[in-house]
Amino acid sequence: MINTEVIKLNPDFDSALILPAAEAIRSGELVAFPTETVYGLGANAFCETAIKKVFEVKGRPQDNPLIVHLSRLAHLTEIAINIPQIAYDLLDVFAPGPLTLILQKSDLIPEIVSAGLPTVAIRFPSDPIAQALIELAEVPIVAPSANLSGKPSPTQAWHVYQDLAGKIPYILDGGASDYGLESTIIDLSIADPVILRPGFITARDIKNVVGIDITEYQADQSGSKPDFQPKAPGQKYRHYSPRATVLILAENSNPTERLNNLLTGIEGFIRNKISDNNMKKDTTKEILVGLFLAEKLSKKLNLEYFKKYLYKSTCYNVGFKLESYNNQQGAAGAAHDLFNRFREFDRIRADLIICSAEQMDGAGIAYMNRLKKAADYEI
Ligand code: TXA
Ligand code: MG
């Protein structure tokens, strides 16, 4: 166990506060830091022993490559070779920001970073703390999301603390991440670019800049075919999973029907739970359900009626923790809060988490991608 120091940084932070963490990076230690997407677990990209620690600390499979984070465009050509024009066009518009490019890698990048692939993932974070850390460390920083492998990505410092306290010397706390979901990954190492992981920058946003249609890689197939080899190796692993069972409440233009599906979904979960576990009905125990629903829908929800109905039909007392998000302007609010709600619902030991589906448009594409990877089934 090592002592983990949390360094709290305000928006107008003094970069002297980051110096010890930058020094730690340079000398091969790990530092968790905020980015505009999610918190990253940083290590010196040129130091193999540090990178090995990243895999160890996260419990990350060795075949899952890491993203290299840079603070200056000028450093791109040290890390990548044969860079296509489209990369520069995209960086012009979206860097710094939540976009990761897959490019052919230079020899400077150790094999362990790219898990033996001939390519490297590169991103220019816009978060000032991330930028200051890279600048002060004077090396590129590899950073996967700062969670234990399989857990939801951290969007607040306490999420990182929960997973990594005692394992790393520093956590830089810059408050809640702006976006709350990981960067869009686009593969530019091949002739026809493909989005390997959807994020806030969408295929449509990219088309608006480069003028060509970009395929969105269907990573969701990974669950159904055991021999399926996704292009971003990370996509084949189960992700973003809270301890509780996660269900998706399917879209429905009729809110009454949708709420009815919610109720019967909870009822079905309780019945399955009883028969699966062969569990003697311990009806003294309350079943706790975390709900993450669009505000409009949650306003129509009558939880007292739900409780009474469920008690009658299952003999269990059901408790609810309701968290709403505003989706008037699309799914950005849902995407921003999803991982945080997962962690909060786990913290209060919810048995079941139900999240409403969003339309596959804008941020809704990335939101549904993460939700599907975490979810057990749809109701
Ligand atoms: O927003 C983000 O991208 C965050 C912040 C911290 O920057 N980072 C992040 O890293 O999400 P990570 O390691 O959790 O996810 C990186 C994904 C993995 O699915 C990995 O397989 C893929 O990027 N990846 C990395 N290098 C690759 C490469 N050369 N080719 C294809 N996929 C790659
Ligand atoms: Mg991750």
Side-chain angles (χ1 to χ4, degrees):
M1 286 277 274
I2 53 176
N3 182 44
T4 301
E5 187 181 342
V6 179
I7 300 174
K8 177 102 193 99
L9 298 158
N10 301 317
D12 57 347
F13 64 91
D14 176 355
S15 53
L17 290 170
I18 299 182
L19 267 177
E23 184 49 47
I25 290 272
R26 226 194 340 255
S27 63
E29 298 299 324
L30 309 188
V31 172
F33 63 97
T35 83
E36 69 280 19
T37 56
V38 300
Y39 276 70
L41 176 61
N44 180 342
F46 297 140
C47 176
E48 280 195 45
T49 50
I51 298 164
K52 278 193 184 131
K53 274 191 227 165
V54 169
F55 284 93
E56 267 169 38
V57 159
K58 272 184 65 88
R60 183 180 177 101
Q62 292 277 347
D63 68 350
N64 194 2
L66 303 173
I67 300 175
V68 179
H69 295 65
L70 299 176
S71 56
R72 296 183 196 203
L73 278 173
H75 292 154
L76 181 64
T77 48
E78 293 169 18
I79 309 290
I81 55 169
N82 301 328
I83 302 168
Q85 183 55 41
I86 182 174
Y88 292 107
D89 296 344
L90 288 176
L91 292 174
D92 250 1
V93 178
F94 299 120
L99 181 68
T100 295
L101 308 181
I102 308 290
L103 297 166
Q104 289 177 37
K105 83 176 196 63
S106 82
D107 292 339
L108 270 183
I109 294 296
E111 288 272 299
I112 184 172
V113 169
S114 56
L117 295 173
T119 53
V120 61
I122 301 172
R123 162 164 138 69
F124 297 85
S126 60
D127 186 293
I129 298 172
Q131 290 182 348
L133 182 68
I134 303 166
E135 280 288 301
L136 293 171
E138 295 177 330
V139 287
I141 294 182
V142 290
S145 48
N147 51 288
L148 291 176
S149 233
K151 291 274 168 216
S153 296
T155 60
Q156 297 188 26
W158 73 263
H159 302 166
V160 182
Y161 195 83
Q162 208 176 35
D163 281 11
L164 303 181
K167 296 180 168 182
I168 59 174
Y170 294 107
I171 299 173
L172 303 182
D173 179 357
S177 312
D178 291 343
Y179 292 105
L181 293 186
E182 309 84 347
S183 60
T184 305
I185 302 180
I186 182 166
D187 189 351
L188 301 178
S189 72
I190 44 179
D192 295 316
V194 176
I195 291 183
L196 301 182
R197 179 174 72 185
F200 277 79
I201 295 171
T202 63
R204 201 192 308 141
D205 297 331
I206 292 172
K207 184 181 178 178
N208 286 341
V209 174
V210 298
I212 50 170
D213 283 312
I214 308 287
T215 324
E216 294 235 26
Y217 190 68
Q218 289 309 312
D220 295 339
Q221 302 166 30
S222 55
S224 51
K225 295 181 196 156
D227 56 347
F228 177 71
Q229 280 299 329
K231 292 200 172 167
Q235 307 261 337
K236 73 176 172 233
Y237 299 105
R238 186 177 159 83
H239 268 70
Y240 319 121
S241 309
R243 194 189 50 81
T245 300
V246 178
L247 306 184
I248 302 175
L249 178 62
E251 282 195 283
N252 191 320
S253 52
N254 180 338
T256 313
E257 251 175 49
R258 204 176 185 200
L259 289 176
N260 200 40
N261 292 343
L262 177 60
L263 182 56
T264 51
I266 300 169
E267 190 183 7
F269 167 81
I270 298 173
R271 288 189 196 289
N272 281 342
K273 198 173 147 85
I274 297 168
S275 58
D276 275 6
N277 299 353
N278 264 341
M279 117 182 157
K280 260 206 270 138
K281 267 197 178 173
D282 177 9
T283 45
T284 54
K285 185 183 170 288
E286 184 186 83
I287 291 183
L288 184 56
V289 180
L291 298 175
F292 183 55
L293 303 178
E295 212 168 75
K296 253 183 155 171
L297 188 66
S298 62
K299 279 191 181 143
K300 295 200 160 70
L301 189 61
N302 181 345
L303 284 180
E304 282 315 308
Y305 169 72
F306 268 40
K307 285 182 189 172
K308 277 189 194 142
Y309 174 93
L310 290 167
Y311 185 70
K312 262 195 183 161
S313 95
T314 67
C315 295
Y316 273 91
N317 274 312
V318 179
F320 287 96
K321 175 87 171 114
L322 172 64
E323 297 291 356
S324 309
Y325 59 84
N326 182 321
N327 68 347
Q328 305 284 72
Q329 250 83 55
H336 180 269
D337 290 352
L338 180 71
F339 290 155
N340 183 40
R341 296 307 180 204
F342 278 171
R343 296 245 176 197
E344 283 179 350
F345 289 145
D346 262 1
R347 186 160 66 169
I348 60 169
R349 306 205 70 75
D351 301 284
L352 176 64
I353 298 173
I354 304 183
C355 306
S356 43
E358 281 294 322
Q359 283 182 15
M360 292 288 278
D361 187 40
I365 300 169
Y367 169 75
M368 287 308 294
N369 170 269
R370 306 310 192 274
L371 181 53
K372 280 182 180 162
K373 275 177 176 272
D376 293 80
Y377 57 96
E378 193 171 279
I379 55 174

